[in-house]
Amino acid sequence: MCGALRASDAGKKAVLMGWVNRRRDLGTLIFVDIRDRSGITQVVFSEELNAAIHAKAELLRNEYVIAVTGAVKLRDTDTINKNIPTGEVELVVDELRILNDAKHPPFLPSDTSLANEEMRLKYRYIDLRRDAMQFNIELRHKVALAIRDNLAAQGFFEIETPFMTRSTPEGARDYLVPSRVQPGSFYALPQSPQLFKQILMISGFDKYFQIVRCFRDEDLRADRQPEFTQVDLEMSYPQPERVWEVVEGFLTAAFRAAGHAIKTPFPRMDYDEVIRQFGIDKPDLRLPAFSEVRDCFTAQDLETLAVHPELPVVAIRTPKVGELSRKERDDIKPLFNSKGGAKLFEDFKRLEKNFPDATKKILERIAAAPNDLIVLVSGSAQSGGQDHPASKRKVTPQELAIYASAGLLRVALGQKYAAKHGLFRRGDFRFLWGTNFPMFEYDEQEKGWMAAHHPFTSPHEEDMDKLESDPAMVRALAYDVVLNGTELGSGSIRIHRQDIQRKIFHALGMTEEEARSRFGFFLEALEYGTPPHGGIALGLDRIVMILAGADSLREVIPFPKTAAAKDLMVDAPTPVTDLQLRELGIQVKKK
Ligand code: ASP
């Protein structure tokens, strides 16, 4: 192992195999750093000690694969390299074998500046040799192993589910696999194992998990991959709290494997409260929550400011930003994306001048320090008014628009001034369980209700009677686990009764016919003695990304795809031969 030698090995014989990471030719002495996944050791070829081997070492180039044998020697004090664990020793080589030569690669694993990402993905095998990637992939292994061990110890069985299956509704397009033996028929790759894991509960396996690939064909944003890995689990008879406990257990183990202690139980918050405090359902708890400050203003103040008197006025505090110039204040405006007529006040100084009483009260309410940046977001005098099917909710759609505008701005300010407030410290992990989401979302275009989660999510027992009469007010027994502003996973207690599952399909505008043709097998399975059950799925890639401190999923997936869903190394997807198409009974339209 190239990274294992220490001072205590001095005098011993050692054999090392690995890549030539770097070669320095000083004439009579040639130094080579030999590298494998465990690290690097300096090996020395001395002309004086062994002229033949020294001559052979002159042939070595970067990324040649070699085997060397020699004696471990302590380095002179002035040549000790404190930056690597093997820095106190070197290997004086008495035998060298060149196991393979190497073309000069397009970039070197030892390069300090990174090649462009296209290059890195095309030559992924070189890129993966880099320290940082070796670290990330090892971390991924350790995290997955810790999760497996933990779930197995909690009594879960890892059970595989098919990749060639039918469509599961998780809200994306399916990747389809044509059937050769049944031309015109297609399998869908699973967007998640949702229905299989529920059927495993019906099959008596009470606690299931799987670290499993899922496939979703969607327009890719920076942090999505067409195939990604979930830690998927399901259990029989749980309350939500039981699922949370299981997840907190395996996350504790996963974070411990990466060297971090986390505190459980995680805080829990209802959807309405999350929206009122943070404006978005995956809040970053490292930044201060909003404060509601409308009552700090008089009715007259609000009128003068053309602020809606009944909609929320929230203060966003970003600590330690310091005094902003006019230009810097202007730079805040483009970060504000106004929904539903929401209005921004970015110049608190000016408000202080014109509304001294109100601003004094605000400063007290939010316990602001003199250096904090304070901006306000409110409804404008004209906003609101129109009737909306969800307007009886605790947070009305008009209020939601203001909270949401403020929520996005809060995050954008947090990012913009990260260096100043210093709240994004590495290793500061703030988890949250968000729960009690609305069951349905109103689709303005379709003028109908859509499932906010997948349609197997159970409504709250006490909201069942509102399914048809008042869908807006039905809450889902669903939950999300959020970490530092990222949704790590979501799950729910499921519907376990066939009559209710039918009702939900109906409430979602599915005809009996449609429901039967898409989910007939599942509706039938529900009739054969289905225990109450629930579960969750968390994104493994995302967990590892956060633990690695990486800023893209591609840094923690060995062979990821680009934003255009391409694998640049194997060059996929590609057209296929006419013969293959003919066998599948498929004709491709020429564009
Ligand atoms: N199948 C869901 C998803 O992939 C998770 C769950 O409800 O367990 O998001």
Side-chain angles (χ1 to χ4, degrees):
M1 298 275 277
C2 298
L5 294 179
R6 297 290 181 271
S8 56
D9 296 310
K12 291 186 192 152
K13 270 282 224 199
V15 182
L16 299 177
M17 282 179 270
W19 285 269
V20 172
N21 194 55
R22 207 154 74 102
R23 189 186 70 117
R24 271 159 301 140
D25 192 338
L26 306 184
T28 56
L29 289 178
I30 296 174
F31 292 97
V32 165
D33 288 342
I34 180 168
R35 182 193 76 235
D36 67 11
R37 73 169 207 217
S38 69
I40 280 177
T41 293
Q42 172 168 293
V43 305
V44 194
F45 300 88
S46 154
E47 189 172 25
E48 199 181 309
L49 291 178
N50 195 328
I53 290 183
H54 178 271
K56 201 169 171 191
E58 282 180 344
L59 303 173
L60 297 180
R61 296 292 177 270
N62 284 321
E63 301 309 300
Y64 275 32
V65 185
I66 59 172
V68 289
T69 314
V72 182
K73 183 178 145 268
L74 284 180
R75 292 202 208 178
D76 297 336
T77 5
D78 55 334
T79 63
I80 285 178
N81 179 354
K82 292 223 174 68
N83 299 323
I84 54 172
T86 60
E88 286 180 277
V89 294
E90 59 194 9
L91 190 81
V92 183
V93 180
D94 51 32
E95 198 188 332
L96 163 66
R97 278 196 213 171
I98 299 179
L99 303 177
N100 210 345
D101 59 7
K103 265 172 57 176
H104 188 69
F107 56 92
L108 288 173
S110 56
D111 283 349
T112 38
S113 64
L114 222 51
N116 77 46
E117 199 175 18
E118 262 184 39
M119 245 357 195
R120 291 180 54 204
L121 292 174
K122 181 162 162 53
Y123 295 95
R124 189 59 158 177
Y125 41 91
I126 308 281
D127 186 51
L128 286 170
R129 288 182 196 168
R130 292 188 307 112
D131 265 2
M133 292 309 283
Q134 296 259 314
F135 175 88
N136 289 356
I137 302 303
E138 180 179 356
L139 180 69
R140 187 182 178 106
H141 157 74
K142 286 182 177 160
V143 166
L145 191 64
I147 293 173
R148 273 209 169 83
D149 281 351
N150 180 276
L151 283 171
Q154 293 198 58
F156 284 75
F157 288 171
E158 183 162 23
I159 307 176
E160 286 161 293
T161 52
F163 278 176
M164 290 162 65
T165 178
R166 290 176 74 108
S167 182
T168 23
E170 295 282 2
R173 284 188 203 92
D174 291 322
Y175 279 103
L176 298 175
V177 180
S179 161
R180 178 183 58 81
V181 283
Q182 285 163 62
S185 284
F186 293 80
Y187 304 95
L189 299 181
Q191 293 187 33
S192 83
Q194 186 63 34
L195 289 173
F196 283 101
K197 68 174 175 174
Q198 292 193 236
I199 286 183
L200 283 169
M201 296 306 103
I202 304 176
S203 315
F205 286 104
D206 102 23
K207 291 193 193 90
Y208 140 94
F209 87 100
Q210 192 178 188
I211 298 188
V212 63
R213 204 67 60 78
C214 302
F215 307 86
R216 297 185 191 174
D217 184 1
E218 45 195 345
D219 297 326
L220 300 179
R221 285 189 263 128
D223 60 346
R224 293 266 169 105
Q225 281 282 312
E227 50 179 312
F228 60 95
T229 305
Q230 281 189 345
V231 181
D232 190 45
L233 68 86
E234 195 75 9
M235 53 201 301
S236 292
Y237 312 109
Q239 299 296 316
E241 290 76 8
R242 177 77 189 101
V243 178
W244 303 348
E245 194 179 30
V246 169
V247 172
E248 288 169 359
F250 82 67
L251 283 177
T252 301
F255 278 64
R256 193 185 304 122
H260 298 285
I262 58 172
K263 272 220 304 279
T264 59
F266 305 156
R268 292 138 193 215
M269 210 181 264
D270 273 5
Y271 169 80
D272 302 314
E273 199 47 39
V274 173
I275 295 298
R276 283 189 186 135
Q277 291 198 27
F278 307 100
I280 49 176
D281 57 8
K282 41 179 182 186
D284 192 331
L285 302 190
R286 295 171 301 178
L287 298 165
F290 301 152
S291 304
E292 170 60 59
V293 297
R294 191 186 58 215
D295 63 324
C296 299
F297 292 99
T298 63
Q300 181 56 52
D301 293 343
L302 295 175
E303 202 179 319
T304 317
L305 287 165
V307 161
H308 196 288
E310 273 145 30
L311 290 173
V313 180
V314 299
I316 304 170
R317 179 171 75 87
T318 315
K320 300 188 184 153
V321 173
E323 183 107 15
L324 293 184
S325 66
R326 182 180 172 153
K327 151 107 188 39
E328 286 170 314
R329 275 200 314 272
D330 282 346
D331 288 346
I332 292 180
K333 290 183 197 160
L335 302 178
F336 182 64
N337 180 0
S338 165
K339 297 178 201 288
K343 192 165 162 163
L344 168 71
F345 296 93
E346 79 288 347
D347 191 348
F348 197 76
K349 275 257 145 58
R350 185 146 148 221
L351 284 177
E352 278 184 305
K353 212 180 295 152
N354 298 332
F355 303 90
D357 292 342
T359 48
K360 187 159 165 274
K361 282 189 207 153
I362 293 175
L363 290 177
E364 274 166 23
R365 162 96 35 102
I366 67 180
N371 254 346
D372 293 352
L373 168 67
I374 297 153
V375 303
L376 305 186
V377 176
S378 73
S380 61
Q382 306 80 19
S383 46
Q386 70 275 53
D387 239 4
H388 189 281
S391 46
K392 282 193 312 218
R393 280 188 182 161
K394 260 196 197 158
V395 176
T396 67
Q398 286 85 6
E399 290 170 341
L400 181 62
I402 293 161
Y403 288 129
S405 312
L408 295 174
L409 179 63
R410 171 179 170 274
V411 172
L413 290 173
Q415 275 157 0
K416 185 173 169 73
Y417 296 110
K420 291 193 174 168
H421 60 65
L423 292 170
F424 295 160
R425 282 185 300 272
R426 212 161 141 43
D428 183 14
F429 298 117
R430 304 288 187 92
F431 291 92
L432 176 77
W433 286 108
T435 183
N436 291 330
F437 302 91
M439 178 89 182
F440 302 107
E441 270 163 9
Y442 193 71
D443 185 322
E444 299 287 351
Q445 266 156 22
E446 301 283 320
K447 299 272 173 253
W449 294 100
M450 309 270 293
H453 307 86
H454 54 62
F456 312 106
T457 299
S458 174
H460 263 266
E461 194 72 41
E462 64 264 36
D463 296 344
M464 290 287 187
D465 57 342
K466 303 191 201 107
L467 276 179
E468 264 146 43
S469 58
D470 199 357
M473 300 306 283
V474 180
R475 288 161 305 158
L477 274 175
Y479 32 81
D480 280 356
V481 56
V482 176
L483 168 58
N484 294 353
T486 300
E487 183 193 306
L488 287 188
S490 66
S492 58
I493 300 302
R494 325 296 183 189
I495 298 163
H496 63 277
R497 279 177 34 197
Q498 204 254 19
D499 54 334
I500 297 175
Q501 187 64 72
R502 272 178 198 276
K503 263 196 198 165
I504 297 289
F505 286 150
H506 186 243
L508 293 173
M510 230 184 270
T511 62
E512 186 78 26
E513 189 82 318
E514 258 178 283
R516 209 166 331 108
S517 88
R518 289 186 64 190
F519 305 115
F521 72 101
F522 183 66
L523 287 170
E524 187 178 6
L526 285 176
E527 288 183 301
Y528 286 97
T530 299
H533 58 283
I536 191 164
L538 279 75
L540 179 71
D541 310 297
R542 201 150 288 177
I543 294 173
V544 179
M545 177 178 100
I546 292 174
L547 286 172
D551 50 17
S552 147
L553 294 174
R554 295 185 296 277
E555 299 296 315
V556 297
I557 297 176
F559 302 104
K561 296 192 173 49
T562 64
K566 280 194 181 158
D567 181 328
L568 297 179
M569 186 182 77
V570 303
D571 188 21
T574 54
V576 294
T577 63
D578 286 341
L579 176 64
Q580 280 173 304
L581 287 177
R582 228 177 304 127
E583 279 184 337
L584 294 168
I586 290 179
Q587 221 175 10
V588 177
K589 261 202 197 152
K590 298 270 180 285
K591 279 212 176 137

